[in-house]
Amino acid sequence: MAVWIQAQQLQGDALHQMQSLYGQHFPIEVRHYLSQWLEGQLWDVIDLENPQEEFKAKRLLDSLIQELQNKAEHQVGEDGFLLKIKLGHYASQLKSTYDRCPLELVRCIKHILYTEQRLVREASNSSSPVGGMMDSMSQKYQQINQAFEELRLLTQDTENDLRKLQHNQEYFIIQYQESLRIQAQLTSLTTLPPADRQLREPTLLSKRATVEAWLTREANTLQKYRLDLAEKHQKSLQLLRKQQTIILDDELIHWKRRQQLAGNGGPPEGGLDILQSWCEKLAETIWQNRQQIRRAEHLRQQLPIPGPIEELLNDLNSTITDIISALVTSTFIIEKQPPQVLKTQTKFAATVRLLVGGKLNVHMNPPQVKATIISEQQAKALLKNENTRNDSSGEILNNNCVMEYHQATGTLSANFRNMSLKRIKRSDRRGAESVTEEKFTILFESQFSVGGNELVFQVKTLSLPVVVIVHGSQDNNATATVLWDNAFAEPGRVPFIVPDKVLWPQLCEALNMKYKAEVQSNRGLSEENLVFLAQKAFSSSSINPDDYRGMTMTWSQFNRESLPGRNFTFWQWFDGVMELTKKHLKPHWNDGAILGFVNKQQAQDMLMSKPNGTFLLRFSDSEIGGITIAWVAENPNKPGERMVWNLMPYTTKDFSIRSLADRISDLNHLLFLYPDRPKDEVFSKYYTPPLSKAVDGYVKPQIKQVVPEFTTTNPDPAANPTYMDHGASPVVSHPPNYGIYQPMSDSMLDADGDFDLDDTMDVARHVEELLRRPMENQWSGQQS
């Protein structure tokens, strides 16, 4: 629920607090009429302490004014006229107020939104949840922003303390110099006559005692200031570590996980703008604290006072260096992953980004990034900091790229646009492992310095696992390896370990995600579809989904071992279905015209209760990437008896000749799509339009499909369309007889009522043969 809707439900003191947020600086009417727009902008992305962010704030100010003007223009009627004038006035007022300081507008709106969210949350927590609470994501963002505000205040506090310490120390040094001067004067008294010495010495001794007493007290005070400052820095660093852990180990890891699932067809991982803004705030705060600690160390060296402060400062300096090192190395990430099925001699791209590059001014001396392909074992050794001696497992062309800074977006990235894997060096495989199960990774590495070469960083990041192929025929099995890895990899794993077996529901989720993405459809796999897949995977006949919830499937069952009685694996069959649907059946799947995941016995049981001519479409059990038509009709050998017929499966090759819709149109014995939809109602919009009439004495031929056993002779020429004519199949008609074929006495049906597609397609092949002959031989008397 929008925050503004909830804010309007506040009562009592909370309502007064909310109302007090508004005034001349930002009218409450603007909040009301632009509530959705205001809550939809990325205010948190703008760093208020960075003057370079002013152009972003100016853009938002201009957009706000434009939104107000648009809202004003759409007001009509008497009340609308007054509101139109008022909104136009507010637009002018905001422009004059913030045009020269747009960052103040951002600060104002952020304060308003944060306060409203807090008031709504407090009201929701203290009452029933009926009013609705902010979603967990909003709460998480709110907590992160509140922590940044706390860090900002702490850093400002330590900055003030450090200045106070510096001022006091400078005054201490002046007084110390005074004590040295007094001591020098006392020493010089030895050269004076005794009378003069006795006259001046008591005064100097008194002054020395007073100054030394002050110095002693002030030294203790300075030491206390130093210890207090160190304790405050310790608190800041603890909060910094906590905040950095949330951003890097939670938010950034979640983003990487979403990126990995996107490789399986999951939703896009989303942009990095908010993450980058958080990381930049971390970098800025860390750097400010680091500079403060270094200044405190300089003050200590300038005026050494015995005590524990030296060790404390060393610990603080070491901690802050570790924190910034972790930030820099963790924010060197792959924004656009290379393809996970990587074919040799084929161009590919990738993008690497440093989220804190702009804030740390790395772009002032742009670093170069190098890409190398390494094996799984080399990746393991790399993460263990073992010496890999610059080993690689192949050669990548165009594998060096300079990072570029984009001023408009504030991003520092390296875009590898034309990489190509020239060769690959494979390792010894284990057991039954095939080449398409061997995982590699692209290692991206760079080196740069920050703070005027104060700190030098060597950064490295690994891509998601890559399977290298040399031929398109390996793509199917390579995709299986990638799918399993993306779906079941655990965060922080040793490269690239995945479980050997997973629960069936987990695999169903991965398959459904992949299927919807490949077919580009919102219609995923239903529970009935998943039960069918479970029956196939586990050679089971149970139709109860609960029977499979606790079952596990191993990698071997998924894509090593062939299905019983077949020469292909479960994945190879499923991938074939996806490919066929993606290339040729997508609209029919989206329309719900394809049941698909139904076995032969189920199809028979479903059709036998329906009228003759009822048919359904199901994926072939026996052939990869095949779909068959099953229909109910009379048994020609036993009058009065009905049976279900199954056409031999169509494949991609068949649909490249003639589409599914046209084939269904050709078969006049198919009348109703299961359960009872007239076929033309479902498929006619996909029929190929009729061919034009003859031009200059030439007619255009066309291939049609027939099933000979269901083609009857009709002597009426008007009811006998030739291959040169075409029209949509009527719902009920008598199939035509084509005189160009020899009578077929041998049945093309097997014992199960299946048609042999190779035989039935002889019709099409015969027509193709005729078409290849010279025209005068085929059509005597026609113009040549």
Side-chain angles (χ1 to χ4, degrees):
M1 185 185 295
V3 175
W4 181 241
I5 295 175
Q6 299 174 78
Q8 293 175 74
Q9 299 170 6
L10 294 172
Q11 297 178 352
D13 183 57
L15 178 60
H16 291 307
Q17 287 186 55
M18 188 269 286
Q19 291 172 337
S20 68
L21 295 170
Y22 299 97
Q24 289 271 339
H25 62 287
F26 198 83
I28 195 169
E29 291 88 346
V30 176
R31 175 70 175 100
H32 180 74
Y33 288 104
L34 296 186
S35 60
Q36 188 173 357
W37 184 87
L38 286 167
E39 293 177 32
Q41 306 310 303
L42 298 176
W43 305 104
D44 289 335
V45 171
I46 297 180
D47 182 1
L48 297 173
E49 308 304 323
N50 184 359
Q52 294 181 351
E53 299 278 81
E54 190 167 295
F55 77 98
K56 293 183 183 178
K58 183 66 166 61
R59 260 203 325 248
L60 281 170
L61 171 62
D62 294 341
S63 298
L64 172 63
I65 292 168
Q66 186 64 50
E67 288 290 325
L68 270 176
Q69 292 171 342
N70 292 343
K71 180 68 73 173
E73 289 172 4
H74 287 86
Q75 303 306 315
V76 294
E78 185 177 344
D79 293 338
F81 175 73
L82 295 175
L83 182 58
K84 180 176 184 177
I85 293 176
K86 186 176 285 190
L87 291 178
H89 170 70
Y90 290 149
S92 301
Q93 177 182 314
L94 289 173
K95 182 170 178 62
S96 64
T97 303
Y98 296 110
D99 199 41
R100 294 187 177 181
C101 52
L103 285 172
E104 289 306 310
L105 172 72
V106 176
R107 189 188 306 276
C108 169
I109 294 176
K110 284 173 73 171
H111 174 66
I112 288 171
L113 294 176
Y114 292 161
T115 306
E116 285 180 350
Q117 289 171 351
R118 177 179 60 78
L119 292 171
V120 167
R121 187 172 63 254
E122 289 173 354
S124 300
N125 291 338
S126 61
S127 62
S128 67
V130 175
M133 296 178 64
M134 292 181 295
D135 61 285
S136 59
M137 187 66 74
S138 297
Q139 291 184 22
K140 174 68 73 90
Y141 286 9
Q142 176 74 3
Q143 290 167 2
I144 289 173
N145 288 322
Q146 285 176 344
F148 273 126
E149 180 64 15
E150 186 179 351
L151 279 167
R152 186 187 70 80
L153 294 174
L154 280 172
T155 303
Q156 185 62 52
D157 187 35
T158 50
E159 176 66 27
N160 293 336
D161 286 357
L162 186 60
R163 288 175 181 174
K164 181 180 178 182
L165 173 63
Q166 183 175 354
H167 174 76
N168 289 352
Q169 181 166 312
E170 287 171 352
Y171 187 69
F172 180 93
I173 291 173
I174 291 172
Q175 294 302 310
Y176 180 73
Q177 293 296 326
E178 176 65 16
S179 74
L180 293 179
R181 188 181 66 81
I182 293 171
Q183 182 60 44
Q185 288 179 338
L186 282 169
T187 304
S188 67
L189 289 180
T190 56
T191 62
L192 296 177
D196 290 343
R197 187 168 66 243
Q198 287 176 358
L199 180 66
R200 299 178 60 182
E201 189 173 41
T203 304
L204 288 174
L205 287 173
S206 176
K207 287 177 66 176
R208 185 178 71 176
T210 302
V211 170
E212 286 182 349
W214 183 90
L215 287 174
T216 302
R217 290 194 307 272
E218 192 62 18
N220 292 329
T221 302
L222 286 175
Q223 186 74 309
K224 184 177 184 303
Y225 282 169
R226 289 176 177 181
L227 291 172
D228 290 345
L229 180 62
E231 288 178 4
K232 287 185 177 181
H233 275 130
Q234 284 178 329
K235 182 180 177 182
S236 295
L237 298 196
Q238 287 173 358
L239 186 55
L240 270 171
R241 272 196 188 278
K242 182 180 177 182
Q243 182 81 326
Q244 184 159 297
T245 298
I246 291 172
I247 292 171
L248 299 184
D249 294 353
D250 292 347
E251 299 303 314
L252 184 57
I253 292 297
H254 289 163
W255 182 89
K256 289 182 177 181
R257 180 59 181 152
R258 291 196 299 272
Q259 185 186 54
Q260 190 171 26
L261 290 176
N264 275 4
E269 60 270 30
L272 286 164
D273 288 347
I274 291 180
L275 268 172
Q276 175 161 317
S277 73
W278 288 341
C279 292
E280 287 180 338
K281 284 181 181 178
L282 277 174
E284 183 176 27
T285 307
I286 292 168
W287 197 257
Q288 287 173 348
N289 278 271
R290 183 175 185 273
Q291 294 302 99
Q292 288 180 8
I293 293 168
R294 289 169 64 85
R295 283 161 56 196
E297 172 63 20
H298 176 72
L299 290 176
R300 187 201 65 79
Q301 292 175 352
Q302 190 180 46
L303 181 62
I305 300 175
I309 189 63
E310 181 177 0
E311 186 177 349
L312 278 173
L313 287 173
N314 286 338
D315 289 344
L316 286 172
N317 194 51
S318 176
T319 301
I320 199 76
T321 302
D322 289 345
I323 291 174
I324 196 169
S325 296
L327 178 66
V328 171
T329 54
S330 298
T331 55
F332 183 65
I333 62 173
I334 302 173
E335 183 176 14
K336 178 187 175 185
Q337 291 282 341
Q340 288 187 263
V341 177
L342 188 57
K343 189 178 178 183
T344 56
Q345 311 293 335
T346 303
K347 188 174 81 169
F348 68 95
T351 302
V352 180
R353 181 165 162 182
L354 181 64
L355 297 181
V356 295
K359 183 60 67 175
L360 296 179
N361 292 322
V362 175
H363 58 283
M364 302 303 289
N365 185 18
Q368 187 172 81
V369 183
K370 180 181 179 182
T372 312
I373 189 165
I374 62 176
S375 68
E376 184 174 335
Q377 291 302 320
Q378 290 167 337
K380 288 178 182 176
L382 185 72
L383 293 189
K384 290 179 182 177
N385 292 320
E386 295 178 2
N387 183 14
T388 57
R389 303 186 305 281
N390 297 320
D391 284 346
S392 71
S393 291
E395 181 182 353
I396 298 178
L397 303 178
N398 303 317
N399 67 327
N400 286 285
C401 183
V402 175
M403 299 194 88
E404 298 177 356
Y405 182 67
H406 306 275
Q407 182 73 36
T409 58
T411 59
L412 182 69
S413 59
N415 296 306
F416 293 84
R417 296 182 178 89
N418 296 293
M419 288 191 288
S420 176
L421 182 59
K422 183 178 180 181
R423 61 178 182 84
I424 190 68
K425 182 172 65 177
R426 299 193 182 275
S427 58
D428 295 332
R429 292 186 294 281
R430 299 160 296 196
E433 187 182 77
S434 67
V435 293
T436 54
E437 294 178 47
E438 186 178 4
K439 300 173 191 174
F440 296 88
T441 181
I442 309 295
L443 166 66
F444 295 93
E445 50 189 338
S446 183
Q447 178 175 307
F448 52 84
S449 61
V450 297
N453 294 323
E454 278 185 38
L455 297 172
V456 178
F457 295 103
Q458 290 185 335
V459 292
K460 300 178 181 181
T461 187
L462 297 175
S463 75
L464 292 173
V466 167
V467 178
V468 177
I469 63 173
V470 296
H471 193 275
S473 62
Q474 297 172 308
D475 184 84
N476 175 290
N477 292 322
T479 302
T481 301
V482 168
L483 174 81
W484 191 277
D485 192 280
N486 285 346
F488 309 122
E490 296 179 356
R493 63 173 173 172
V494 175
F496 290 106
I497 294 176
V498 284
D500 183 61
K501 61 182 179 180
V502 296
L503 287 170
W504 173 249
Q506 292 178 283
L507 184 59
C508 287
E509 185 180 350
L511 292 176
N512 186 42
M513 183 184 292
K514 184 70 173 176
Y515 188 87
K516 288 169 69 175
E518 288 295 313
V519 179
Q520 297 177 338
S521 171
N522 291 325
R523 182 192 170 199
L525 302 175
S526 66
E527 187 170 66
E528 292 78 12
N529 299 155
L530 296 173
V531 167
F532 170 86
L533 292 174
Q535 291 173 331
K536 181 176 286 291
F538 300 114
S539 300
S540 170
S541 59
S542 173
I543 61 172
N544 185 357
D546 293 334
D547 290 345
Y548 302 105
R549 298 197 194 282
M551 297 183 71
T552 58
M553 190 169 195
T554 66
W555 165 252
S556 293
Q557 288 174 298
F558 184 67
N559 197 43
R560 265 191 196 161
E561 302 166 358
S562 295
L563 292 169
R566 307 297 182 196
N567 61 353
F568 48 79
T569 66
F570 173 85
W571 163 256
Q572 289 167 348
W573 181 88
F574 182 79
D575 185 61
V577 164
M578 284 195 302
E579 282 296 304
L580 181 72
T581 307
K582 177 173 68 174
K583 291 179 179 177
H584 301 287
L585 308 178
K586 188 193 315 183
H588 308 305
W589 174 263
N590 288 337
D591 290 347
I594 297 175
L595 288 179
F597 300 95
V598 177
N599 63 40
K600 186 181 289 187
Q601 184 59 51
Q602 288 173 319
Q604 181 165 322
D605 294 342
M606 294 164 70
L607 291 170
M608 286 302 290
S609 62
K610 299 298 177 181
N612 286 347
T614 303
F615 68 99
L616 59 79
L617 299 159
R618 66 177 187 85
F619 297 123
S620 169
D621 282 318
S622 59
E623 185 162 353
I624 294 179
I627 190 170
T628 185
I629 302 175
W631 75 97
V632 62
E634 296 292 333
N635 185 344
N637 299 322
K638 295 182 181 179
E641 181 180 298
R642 303 193 318 149
M643 64 180 293
V644 172
W645 308 78
N646 292 279
L647 200 61
M648 289 294 285
Y650 299 122
T651 62
T652 291
K653 180 180 177 182
D654 302 310
F655 292 134
S656 64
I657 297 172
R658 191 156 176 78
S659 72
L660 174 65
D662 286 339
R663 288 174 183 273
I664 290 173
S665 171
D666 294 341
L667 301 178
N668 293 327
H669 58 277
L670 304 181
L671 307 179
F672 303 100
L673 179 67
Y674 182 89
D676 55 8
R677 300 169 67 189
K679 72 171 183 183
D680 286 346
E681 178 186 298
V682 180
F683 295 101
S684 61
K685 60 184 174 182
Y686 303 112
Y687 294 160
T688 301
L691 296 175
S692 59
K693 303 244 181 226
V695 179
D696 297 331
Y698 289 93
V699 290
K700 293 183 178 180
Q702 180 177 350
I703 297 172
K704 280 193 174 183
Q705 175 180 274
V706 297
V707 176
E709 274 74 359
F710 285 81
T711 304
T712 57
T713 303
N714 188 341
D716 182 2
N720 185 22
T722 69
Y723 279 97
M724 310 308 147
D725 300 323
H726 178 77
S729 300
V731 173
V732 179
S733 68
H734 294 286
N737 178 49
Y738 304 106
I740 60 177
Y741 303 107
Q742 296 295 325
M744 307 187 72
S745 57
D746 297 333
S747 173
M748 296 185 193
L749 297 174
D750 62 19
D752 295 326
D754 284 342
F755 284 100
D756 188 332
L757 186 60
D758 290 338
D759 291 338
T760 58
M761 285 306 294
D762 282 345
V763 176
R765 295 192 186 97
H766 188 61
V767 172
E768 288 180 301
E769 183 181 349
L770 287 173
L771 297 178
R772 285 195 294 269
R773 297 177 184 174
M775 290 294 278
E776 62 270 15
N777 293 343
Q778 294 183 45
W779 314 105
S780 57
Q782 293 289 328
Q783 179 182 349
S784 60

